[in-house]
Amino acid sequence: MDAHDAADRLPAGTERREGRHGMAQAGRGPIHLNLFIHARGHHEAAWRHPDASPLPLTDIRYYAEMARRAEAGLFDSIFLADQLALPADVAHAPRMWLEPVTVLAALAGATSRIGLIATCSTTYTEPYNLARQYASLDHISGGRVGWNIVTSWLATAAANYGGAGQLSHAERYERAEEYMQVVRGLWDSWADDAVVDDRAGGLYARVDRIRPVRHRGPHYQVAGALNLPRSPQGRPVFVQAGSSETGKRFAARHAEAVFTAQMEKATAQAFYAELKALAAAEGRDPSQVLVLPGLSPVIGATEAEAERLSRELNDLSDPEVGRSRLSGRFGGHDFSYLPLDRPLSPEDFPDPGTVEAARSRTEVIIGLVRREKPTLRQLLGYLAGARGHYVTTGTPERIADLIEEWVRDGAADGFNLMPPVLPSMLDVFVAEVVPLLQQRGLFRTGYEAETLRGHYGLARPPGF
């Protein structure tokens, strides 16, 4: 499908908006930008690069510094992922991190406007605990919190939480559906006017405006109500990152922002159109489901400089670390027999339908192999950049053009920025790319809202 055809076939429920350049832009608002804070950058060798932060990854000052830099760049939000087990490649890859809900509580005090999103698993947490934590964070931050909903798939995580074995893909999403029913009920268990706080009259809260959830299902039994009042946003913003068929349907029912991995614009356009259509079929307004593909740009003053920086990072990578990560992505499949410099084919990989891990990412990788037939060394080099997200190099103008084109052509509502090295490549993006987007009328020049819902243009869910 031609890019301009895609712009003419906007999903039901979206509007066309003319930018300052007269371009047709999908959606209703400006481009959205989220900063994904990951280790010392998203390239697997970032921790070794001289421009990477010298602070330990257990130092809260590091995360506060990244969040404040993103806030200075007027980003909508920052995001922290999570992993519930020690990675096998810890000797050569610092991928452990502080527990993200705890970090968000600290960042709420270190920032004032930027949204704060963290991952928490529906597989290995109790819904009542999660509902309390995120409602508390929303109160602490003044309404700036989002929850990245994941159905954890690592076998090593299963071994840390009861050791009963890894749940199947279908079982994880079945539990997640019931989980969502419970936490929604808990966040809505207090009406907005339940707290009276009448000191003179001696009435703190109206019990007739508080209701228990009384949930009894196959996986959870929760009486409720939540033991704290409704939060500023009503509930946190729901973020989701699954792109499997089951994951897309889950997102269409629940997600308000979707982080997705797309390796080319055409597949991003197809994903965008499908997800918006699925949301409309669920009776939802598609404009209330933002699609934010991952983008990991190496930016240089010239194309040659950007290419040089990219080679510099790749030269610091260890192919065997990449091979181990590829094995983990495919549920432990053994790739040790594959030579590094023979072109790959889809037959070198297990069927994604048999992988009980992050199935959508395996499909993205096999799609790349089918299209480009890279060698294993080339594939590992690409995945070293951002684990299957869109990796590119170029000048600030080229990166701004790419962002503009993807949004204009119905491939994205914005981007989940994944700088290869932190903080240096975030600083370049804020100093060089953001002003170009602002000059084109595509990005805010100041915060207009106080909450994450406000930044994202999302409605506050009504209470009872």
Side-chain angles (χ1 to χ4, degrees):
M1 179 171 59
D2 181 80
H4 296 289
D5 290 341
D8 289 336
R9 300 174 189 174
L10 299 179
T14 61
E15 295 179 355
R16 194 181 299 278
R17 184 173 71 87
E18 296 298 322
R20 285 173 60 178
H21 291 198
M23 73 172 193
Q25 181 176 318
R28 295 180 176 175
I31 287 172
H32 300 285
L33 292 176
N34 173 80
L35 171 65
F36 184 172
I37 302 173
H38 174 85
R40 293 192 178 111
H42 285 267
H43 195 285
E44 68 180 32
W47 67 281
R48 301 180 60 194
H49 197 276
D51 289 341
S53 172
L55 292 174
L57 293 175
T58 50
D59 192 328
I60 192 61
R61 292 176 299 170
Y62 171 69
Y63 302 91
E65 180 184 337
M66 296 306 107
R68 283 193 289 259
R69 289 177 189 228
E71 188 170 62
L74 303 175
F75 277 51
D76 297 67
S77 50
I78 62 101
F79 164 58
L80 301 173
D82 198 16
Q83 187 165 315
L84 302 177
L86 183 68
D89 57 3
V90 65
H92 306 288
R95 291 192 293 133
M96 78 294 281
W97 40 69
L98 296 173
E99 192 284 314
V101 172
T102 310
V103 174
L104 286 200
L107 298 186
T111 59
S112 60
R113 301 295 286 275
I114 197 165
L116 308 168
I117 303 169
T119 292
C120 200
S121 169
T122 60
T123 308
Y124 300 118
T125 60
E126 285 293 324
Y128 198 90
N129 283 348
L130 181 140
R132 288 187 69 207
Q133 288 174 314
Y134 277 80
S136 296
L137 285 173
D138 209 42
H139 282 291
I140 291 168
S141 66
R144 295 187 285 132
V145 166
W147 169 34
N148 180 45
I149 308 159
V150 299
T151 61
S152 301
W153 53 269
L154 285 173
T156 49
N160 286 339
Y161 287 82
Q166 192 177 20
L167 294 176
S168 72
H169 186 266
E171 289 173 321
R172 294 200 310 271
Y173 275 100
E174 178 189 321
R175 288 173 65 97
E177 287 290 353
E178 185 180 345
Y179 200 106
M180 297 304 296
Q181 183 181 349
V182 176
V183 293
R184 282 178 183 270
L186 290 169
W187 284 317
D188 291 341
S189 61
W190 288 61
D192 287 323
D193 61 357
V195 175
V196 179
D197 202 6
D198 179 2
R199 301 185 187 193
L203 179 66
Y204 179 73
R206 296 171 52 188
V207 294
D208 62 314
R209 303 295 285 159
I210 305 170
R211 62 185 183 189
V213 296
R214 296 193 180 97
H215 177 88
R216 297 191 66 82
H219 303 289
Y220 305 105
Q221 291 80 47
V222 180
L226 199 61
N227 60 348
L228 75 163
R230 201 159 192 249
S231 71
Q233 294 187 112
R235 56 170 170 76
V237 171
F238 290 161
V239 182
Q240 200 260 355
S243 296
S244 66
E245 290 305 312
T246 306
K248 284 184 284 193
R249 284 173 171 76
F250 184 89
R253 283 189 289 275
H254 304 291
E256 295 166 297
V258 176
F259 296 153
T260 178
Q262 304 293 334
M263 288 187 172
E264 59 176 347
K265 189 169 86 169
T267 61
Q269 287 172 314
F271 178 88
Y272 185 97
E274 182 183 9
L275 190 62
K276 299 281 184 170
L278 286 170
E282 292 285 341
R284 299 181 62 197
D285 178 352
S287 73
Q288 296 289 287
V289 185
L290 304 179
V291 178
L292 306 175
L295 174 64
S296 188
V298 178
I299 306 171
T302 64
E303 296 286 345
E305 182 186 0
E307 292 287 351
R308 179 186 61 77
L309 291 169
S310 180
R311 287 194 302 272
E312 191 177 278
L313 278 167
N314 285 336
D315 287 346
L316 294 173
S317 298
D318 182 343
E320 294 312 310
V321 170
R323 196 192 298 258
S324 174
R325 289 188 180 184
L326 186 66
S327 175
R329 181 64 67 187
F330 282 85
H333 184 79
D334 182 11
F335 292 103
S336 62
Y337 69 93
L338 289 176
L340 283 170
D341 295 306
R342 172 174 69 75
L344 296 169
S345 73
E347 288 69 36
D348 291 318
F349 297 81
D351 179 353
T354 67
V355 178
E356 294 294 347
R359 188 173 297 170
S360 60
R361 195 64 57 83
T362 66
E363 293 168 347
V364 167
I365 292 169
I366 293 174
L368 174 68
V369 169
R370 183 176 291 111
R371 287 192 310 273
E372 301 186 16
K373 298 179 175 57
T375 65
L376 180 60
R377 190 187 303 276
Q378 289 169 333
L379 176 64
L380 296 180
Y382 191 92
L383 296 178
R387 305 173 307 285
H389 290 270
Y390 191 83
V391 176
T392 190
T393 60
T395 62
E397 291 78 10
R398 181 177 179 277
I399 303 306
D401 288 346
L402 182 150
I403 290 171
E404 180 176 349
E405 289 165 9
W406 279 47
V407 174
R408 178 195 67 205
D409 295 342
D413 293 307
F415 287 88
N416 185 21
L417 186 72
M418 304 168 67
V421 179
L422 286 169
S424 62
M425 294 188 183
L426 168 63
D427 290 344
V428 172
F429 186 93
V430 169
E432 303 290 340
V433 179
V434 166
L436 292 174
L437 297 175
Q438 291 170 329
Q439 290 164 18
R440 301 178 191 188
L442 302 174
F443 192 64
R444 65 174 64 87
T445 56
Y447 284 116
E448 298 175 355
E450 302 287 339
T451 68
L452 178 54
R453 290 190 175 278
H455 300 334
Y456 278 177
L458 300 171
R460 186 179 188 274
F464 74 92

